[in-house]
Structure formats: structure tokens, C-alpha cells
Amino acid sequence: PVWSGHKTPGAAGRVEHIEFFQAEDGIRDRSPSRGLGDVYKRQRLASARASTFILAGDTVVAAGRRILPKAETEQQARDCLSILSGRRHRVYGGIALCLPDGSLGHRLVTSHVRFRRLSALDIDHYIDMGDWQGKAGGYAIQGLAARFIRAIDGSYSNIVGFSLYDVAAMLDGAGWRGAEQLPNQSPPSK
């Protein structure tokens, strides 16, 4: 099996949706130093299980030279949205794949997003809806913030969570064989 270490519920759901592996609850500690420790813990776990692939990832939003936080307060979300208003920004998706032999592959995917100019009313309404909570850059493109997006250059799925193209390419390159690799699968009925 492949275990997903991405905290975003939508990311795990998308991975299950393309039906090439099972996803499990994500890593809860998202701080850079501790998150890497979790990847190594899972790497050791994968080494103990001969057929296990472990997928982990995170998303960072950057505007200019500034890295925006995962908004935890209304004020942080307001500040993020004000910075992004009328601007182009980058969304970095980091992907790590631990292979059954214990080796670790990784990839950085960059997407560019352009927001339209936001009014105070736009920001107030978005904050009131709560869609910003815990989101990189204070917004979720798959939710109400979609109405703020003028243009995207790059992978939409990277902005939401995992870049599905890149995850599939990494798994293919690592020899993942899809559902046939899952343990205890009964053969299809004829």
C-alpha cells in the first residue's frame, strides 16, 4: 500500500479518487523540523514493510520574497489576502516518497496564481465563511477563493494539495504497480 502523509483532507481524497492507492490520516505536526522527523519515522516503518510506499507533502505560498503562513487566526488570513490581492504569487508543493527499500525521493512543484484585486467586503465575506483556516496563504482555491483567481500557470492539483501528475510520475518511476500491488486483494470476478 501507499500511505499518504498530507494533512489536507482534500489531498488524501483526490489520491484515493484516482484509485491507485489507499490513503491514511496525514501527519499532524507540520513544523519544518518536526515534519521531516515524521517522514523519517515513516521511512523506518516502510523499511519494515516490504511493499509499503509512503507519500508525504506540504504546500507553501510565497508572494515576492515573503513566505505566507498557514493562517491560524482571522488576522493572519486577512493579512495574507491583502498581500495576495491583485498580485501573482507562487505555490510550492513539496512531495516526498519513501520507497519500500527505505530510499527517499522528493520533488518540488511550483504553480503560479494571480488574484484579482480584492475589496474589503470580499475579504470580510471570505473570513466570515471560515474557508481560510489552516490553509497556506490563507485561502483554499478549491473553495470560495476560486472566485478570486484570475489565472493559474502550472498544476491546479498542486495548489489544492498534491500535484497528481508528479505523484503518479514518482510512483511510476519507483515501480508502483497500482491496485494489483495492494495486499489481500481478491482477483476480479469473471
Side-chain angles (χ1 to χ4, degrees):
V2 174
W3 293 354
S4 169
H6 199 293
K7 184 178 175 184
T8 304
R14 279 187 314 285
V15 169
E16 287 175 353
H17 178 70
I18 61 175
E19 297 181 307
F20 58 92
F21 61 84
Q22 299 171 339
E24 188 174 271
D25 283 341
I27 296 171
R28 298 295 179 213
D29 186 345
R30 296 165 66 85
S31 63
S33 61
R34 296 181 124 193
L36 190 56
D38 285 333
V39 169
Y40 288 122
K41 278 189 248 175
R42 289 183 183 255
Q43 183 179 16
R44 287 193 302 275
L45 175 64
S47 296
R49 295 174 169 247
S51 65
T52 301
F53 290 72
I54 298 173
L55 179 65
D58 207 355
T59 305
V60 173
V61 172
R65 297 176 71 179
R66 179 182 285 173
I67 302 294
L68 301 182
K70 293 191 187 305
E72 300 299 332
T73 67
E74 287 186 8
Q75 189 57 54
Q76 280 182 327
R78 253 178 228 292
D79 292 346
C80 288
L81 293 171
S82 295
I83 290 166
L84 298 174
S85 176
R87 295 183 64 178
R88 183 174 183 234
H89 62 277
R90 296 171 313 284
V91 178
Y92 296 108
I95 304 168
L97 178 63
C98 180
L99 306 180
D101 67 5
S103 62
L104 183 65
H106 55 85
R107 193 174 281 197
L108 179 64
V109 181
T110 306
S111 300
H112 293 89
V113 180
R114 180 175 293 282
F115 265 40
R116 69 173 170 83
R117 198 165 292 286
L118 304 178
S119 69
L121 186 60
D122 289 328
I123 293 173
D124 288 344
H125 181 257
Y126 189 73
I127 297 298
D128 289 345
M129 298 308 292
D131 208 21
W132 54 269
Q133 295 176 351
K135 303 295 190 290
Y139 76 96
I141 195 170
Q142 71 274 25
L144 298 170
R147 64 188 299 258
F148 302 152
I149 309 303
R150 291 188 62 195
I152 296 171
D153 181 21
S155 169
Y156 172 81
S157 61
N158 178 57
I159 301 164
V160 177
F162 286 121
S163 166
L164 297 180
Y165 170 84
D166 290 282
V167 168
M170 291 174 74
L171 287 167
D172 289 346
W176 170 252
R177 296 184 312 273
E180 68 200 49
Q181 190 163 331
L182 295 172
N184 303 323
Q185 296 284 321
S186 45
S189 57
K190 295 182 182 180

Short mmCIF file of all heavy atoms in Angstrom, two decimals, residues 146-178:
data_model
loop_
_atom_site.label_atom_id
_atom_site.label_comp_id
_atom_site.label_asym_id
_atom_site.label_seq_id
_atom_site.Cartn_x
_atom_site.Cartn_y
_atom_site.Cartn_z
N ALA A 146 -11.95 30.39 -5.10
CA ALA A 146 -11.87 30.20 -6.56
C ALA A 146 -12.35 31.45 -7.30
O ALA A 146 -11.85 31.78 -8.37
CB ALA A 146 -12.68 28.98 -6.98
N ARG A 147 -13.27 32.17 -6.69
CA ARG A 147 -13.79 33.38 -7.35
C ARG A 147 -12.78 34.53 -7.37
O ARG A 147 -12.98 35.52 -8.08
CB ARG A 147 -15.09 33.82 -6.70
CG ARG A 147 -14.96 34.23 -5.25
CD ARG A 147 -16.33 34.46 -4.61
NE ARG A 147 -17.08 35.50 -5.23
CZ ARG A 147 -17.22 36.73 -4.73
NH1 ARG A 147 -16.68 37.03 -3.58
NH2 ARG A 147 -17.91 37.64 -5.36
N PHE A 148 -11.69 34.39 -6.63
CA PHE A 148 -10.65 35.43 -6.60
C PHE A 148 -9.57 35.20 -7.65
O PHE A 148 -8.71 36.05 -7.87
CB PHE A 148 -9.96 35.47 -5.23
CG PHE A 148 -10.87 35.72 -4.07
CD1 PHE A 148 -10.54 35.22 -2.82
CD2 PHE A 148 -12.04 36.45 -4.17
CE1 PHE A 148 -11.35 35.44 -1.71
CE2 PHE A 148 -12.87 36.68 -3.08
CZ PHE A 148 -12.51 36.17 -1.85
N ILE A 149 -9.57 34.05 -8.30
CA ILE A 149 -8.46 33.64 -9.15
C ILE A 149 -8.67 34.11 -10.59
O ILE A 149 -9.64 33.74 -11.25
CB ILE A 149 -8.31 32.09 -9.15
CG1 ILE A 149 -8.25 31.54 -7.73
CG2 ILE A 149 -7.10 31.66 -9.98
CD1 ILE A 149 -7.18 32.10 -6.85
N ARG A 150 -7.72 34.92 -11.06
CA ARG A 150 -7.77 35.39 -12.45
C ARG A 150 -7.06 34.42 -13.37
O ARG A 150 -7.48 34.22 -14.51
CB ARG A 150 -7.09 36.76 -12.58
CG ARG A 150 -7.87 37.87 -11.91
CD ARG A 150 -7.30 39.21 -12.20
NE ARG A 150 -7.36 39.44 -13.64
CZ ARG A 150 -6.70 40.39 -14.27
NH1 ARG A 150 -5.91 41.19 -13.60
NH2 ARG A 150 -6.81 40.54 -15.56
N ALA A 151 -5.95 33.83 -12.90
CA ALA A 151 -5.18 32.94 -13.78
C ALA A 151 -4.33 31.99 -12.94
O ALA A 151 -3.95 32.31 -11.81
CB ALA A 151 -4.27 33.76 -14.68
N ILE A 152 -4.07 30.83 -13.54
CA ILE A 152 -3.18 29.83 -12.95
C ILE A 152 -2.20 29.40 -14.02
O ILE A 152 -2.59 29.15 -15.16
CB ILE A 152 -3.97 28.58 -12.48
CG1 ILE A 152 -4.94 28.93 -11.36
CG2 ILE A 152 -3.02 27.48 -12.03
CD1 ILE A 152 -5.88 27.78 -11.02
N ASP A 153 -0.94 29.29 -13.64
CA ASP A 153 0.08 28.74 -14.52
C ASP A 153 0.73 27.60 -13.74
O ASP A 153 1.34 27.82 -12.71
CB ASP A 153 1.12 29.82 -14.87
CG ASP A 153 2.19 29.30 -15.81
OD1 ASP A 153 1.96 28.28 -16.49
OD2 ASP A 153 3.27 29.91 -15.86
N GLY A 154 0.52 26.38 -14.22
CA GLY A 154 1.06 25.22 -13.52
C GLY A 154 -0.04 24.27 -13.09
O GLY A 154 -1.15 24.31 -13.63
N SER A 155 0.26 23.45 -12.11
CA SER A 155 -0.63 22.39 -11.68
C SER A 155 -1.69 22.87 -10.69
O SER A 155 -1.36 23.32 -9.60
CB SER A 155 0.19 21.27 -11.03
OG SER A 155 -0.65 20.35 -10.38
N TYR A 156 -2.96 22.75 -11.08
CA TYR A 156 -4.06 23.09 -10.16
C TYR A 156 -4.03 22.17 -8.95
O TYR A 156 -4.18 22.62 -7.81
CB TYR A 156 -5.41 22.97 -10.89
CG TYR A 156 -6.59 23.11 -9.97
CD1 TYR A 156 -7.04 24.37 -9.57
CD2 TYR A 156 -7.25 22.00 -9.48
CE1 TYR A 156 -8.13 24.50 -8.72
CE2 TYR A 156 -8.34 22.12 -8.62
CZ TYR A 156 -8.77 23.38 -8.24
OH TYR A 156 -9.83 23.51 -7.39
N SER A 157 -3.81 20.87 -9.16
CA SER A 157 -3.82 19.93 -8.03
C SER A 157 -2.68 20.22 -7.06
O SER A 157 -2.80 19.94 -5.87
CB SER A 157 -3.80 18.48 -8.51
OG SER A 157 -2.65 18.18 -9.26
N ASN A 158 -1.59 20.82 -7.53
CA ASN A 158 -0.51 21.23 -6.63
C ASN A 158 -0.99 22.33 -5.69
O ASN A 158 -0.61 22.35 -4.52
CB ASN A 158 0.69 21.74 -7.44
CG ASN A 158 1.82 22.24 -6.57
OD1 ASN A 158 2.33 21.51 -5.72
ND2 ASN A 158 2.20 23.49 -6.76
N ILE A 159 -1.83 23.22 -6.17
CA ILE A 159 -2.33 24.32 -5.36
C ILE A 159 -3.30 23.80 -4.29
O ILE A 159 -3.32 24.27 -3.16
CB ILE A 159 -3.02 25.39 -6.25
CG1 ILE A 159 -2.02 25.92 -7.27
CG2 ILE A 159 -3.59 26.53 -5.40
CD1 ILE A 159 -2.66 26.67 -8.43
N VAL A 160 -4.06 22.77 -4.65
CA VAL A 160 -5.02 22.18 -3.72
C VAL A 160 -4.32 21.29 -2.70
O VAL A 160 -4.68 21.27 -1.54
CB VAL A 160 -6.09 21.36 -4.49
CG1 VAL A 160 -7.05 20.68 -3.53
CG2 VAL A 160 -6.85 22.25 -5.45
N GLY A 161 -3.31 20.56 -3.12
CA GLY A 161 -2.62 19.59 -2.25
C GLY A 161 -1.46 18.97 -3.00
O GLY A 161 -0.52 19.65 -3.34
N PHE A 162 -1.56 17.70 -3.31
CA PHE A 162 -0.53 17.02 -4.11
C PHE A 162 -0.72 17.29 -5.60
O PHE A 162 -1.85 17.24 -6.10
CB PHE A 162 -0.63 15.50 -3.93
CG PHE A 162 -0.15 14.98 -2.61
CD1 PHE A 162 -1.02 14.27 -1.81
CD2 PHE A 162 1.15 15.14 -2.20
CE1 PHE A 162 -0.60 13.75 -0.60
CE2 PHE A 162 1.58 14.63 -1.00
CZ PHE A 162 0.71 13.93 -0.20
N SER A 163 0.38 17.49 -6.31
CA SER A 163 0.32 17.52 -7.77
C SER A 163 0.14 16.07 -8.23
O SER A 163 1.04 15.24 -8.10
CB SER A 163 1.62 18.08 -8.35
OG SER A 163 1.68 17.81 -9.74
N LEU A 164 -1.04 15.75 -8.73
CA LEU A 164 -1.34 14.37 -9.11
C LEU A 164 -0.42 13.87 -10.21
O LEU A 164 0.00 12.71 -10.20
CB LEU A 164 -2.80 14.25 -9.53
CG LEU A 164 -3.80 14.56 -8.42
CD1 LEU A 164 -5.22 14.41 -8.93
CD2 LEU A 164 -3.57 13.68 -7.21
N TYR A 165 -0.10 14.73 -11.16
CA TYR A 165 0.83 14.34 -12.22
C TYR A 165 2.17 13.91 -11.63
O TYR A 165 2.71 12.86 -11.97
CB TYR A 165 1.03 15.50 -13.21
CG TYR A 165 2.14 15.23 -14.18
CD1 TYR A 165 1.91 14.49 -15.33
CD2 TYR A 165 3.43 15.70 -13.93
CE1 TYR A 165 2.94 14.22 -16.21
CE2 TYR A 165 4.46 15.43 -14.81
CZ TYR A 165 4.22 14.69 -15.95
OH TYR A 165 5.24 14.40 -16.81
N ASP A 166 2.70 14.72 -10.73
CA ASP A 166 4.02 14.44 -10.16
C ASP A 166 4.00 13.23 -9.23
O ASP A 166 4.95 12.43 -9.22
CB ASP A 166 4.57 15.68 -9.45
CG ASP A 166 4.92 16.75 -10.46
OD1 ASP A 166 5.98 16.64 -11.09
OD2 ASP A 166 4.11 17.68 -10.64
N VAL A 167 2.94 13.08 -8.45
CA VAL A 167 2.83 11.90 -7.58
C VAL A 167 2.78 10.64 -8.43
O VAL A 167 3.49 9.66 -8.17
CB VAL A 167 1.58 11.99 -6.66
CG1 VAL A 167 1.30 10.66 -5.98
CG2 VAL A 167 1.79 13.09 -5.61
N ALA A 168 1.96 10.66 -9.49
CA ALA A 168 1.86 9.49 -10.37
C ALA A 168 3.20 9.20 -11.03
O ALA A 168 3.61 8.03 -11.12
CB ALA A 168 0.77 9.71 -11.41
N ALA A 169 3.90 10.24 -11.49
CA ALA A 169 5.21 10.04 -12.13
C ALA A 169 6.21 9.46 -11.14
O ALA A 169 6.99 8.56 -11.50
CB ALA A 169 5.72 11.38 -12.69
N MET A 170 6.20 9.94 -9.91
CA MET A 170 7.12 9.40 -8.91
C MET A 170 6.81 7.95 -8.60
O MET A 170 7.71 7.11 -8.50
CB MET A 170 7.07 10.25 -7.63
CG MET A 170 7.66 11.64 -7.79
SD MET A 170 7.43 12.68 -6.33
CE MET A 170 8.63 11.94 -5.21
N LEU A 171 5.53 7.63 -8.44
CA LEU A 171 5.14 6.24 -8.16
C LEU A 171 5.46 5.33 -9.34
O LEU A 171 5.99 4.22 -9.16
CB LEU A 171 3.66 6.17 -7.81
CG LEU A 171 3.29 6.70 -6.43
CD1 LEU A 171 1.78 6.88 -6.31
CD2 LEU A 171 3.82 5.81 -5.32
N ASP A 172 5.17 5.79 -10.55
CA ASP A 172 5.51 5.01 -11.73
C ASP A 172 7.01 4.75 -11.80
O ASP A 172 7.45 3.63 -12.05
CB ASP A 172 5.06 5.71 -13.01
CG ASP A 172 3.55 5.72 -13.20
OD1 ASP A 172 2.84 4.98 -12.49
OD2 ASP A 172 3.08 6.50 -14.06
N GLY A 173 7.80 5.81 -11.58
CA GLY A 173 9.25 5.69 -11.62
C GLY A 173 9.81 4.79 -10.54
O GLY A 173 10.89 4.20 -10.69
N ALA A 174 9.07 4.64 -9.45
CA ALA A 174 9.52 3.81 -8.33
C ALA A 174 9.04 2.36 -8.47
O ALA A 174 9.31 1.53 -7.62
CB ALA A 174 9.02 4.40 -7.02
N GLY A 175 8.29 2.08 -9.54
CA GLY A 175 7.85 0.72 -9.76
C GLY A 175 6.50 0.38 -9.15
O GLY A 175 6.13 -0.79 -9.07
N TRP A 176 5.74 1.38 -8.73
CA TRP A 176 4.40 1.13 -8.19
C TRP A 176 3.55 0.52 -9.30
O TRP A 176 3.53 1.01 -10.43
CB TRP A 176 3.80 2.45 -7.71
CG TRP A 176 2.36 2.35 -7.35
CD1 TRP A 176 1.31 2.87 -8.05
CD2 TRP A 176 1.79 1.71 -6.22
NE1 TRP A 176 0.14 2.58 -7.42
CE2 TRP A 176 0.40 1.87 -6.29
CE3 TRP A 176 2.33 0.99 -5.15
CZ2 TRP A 176 -0.47 1.35 -5.34
CZ3 TRP A 176 1.46 0.48 -4.20
CH2 TRP A 176 0.09 0.67 -4.30
N ARG A 177 2.84 -0.54 -8.97
CA ARG A 177 2.04 -1.26 -9.96
C ARG A 177 0.55 -1.06 -9.77
O ARG A 177 -0.25 -1.79 -10.33
CB ARG A 177 2.38 -2.74 -9.91
CG ARG A 177 3.82 -3.02 -10.30
CD ARG A 177 4.12 -4.50 -10.34
NE ARG A 177 3.67 -5.24 -9.19
CZ ARG A 177 4.35 -5.41 -8.06
NH1 ARG A 177 5.52 -4.85 -7.92
NH2 ARG A 177 3.86 -6.12 -7.06
N GLY A 178 0.15 -0.13 -8.95
CA GLY A 178 -1.27 0.16 -8.77
C GLY A 178 -1.97 -0.83 -7.87
O GLY A 178 -1.36 -1.46 -7.02
#
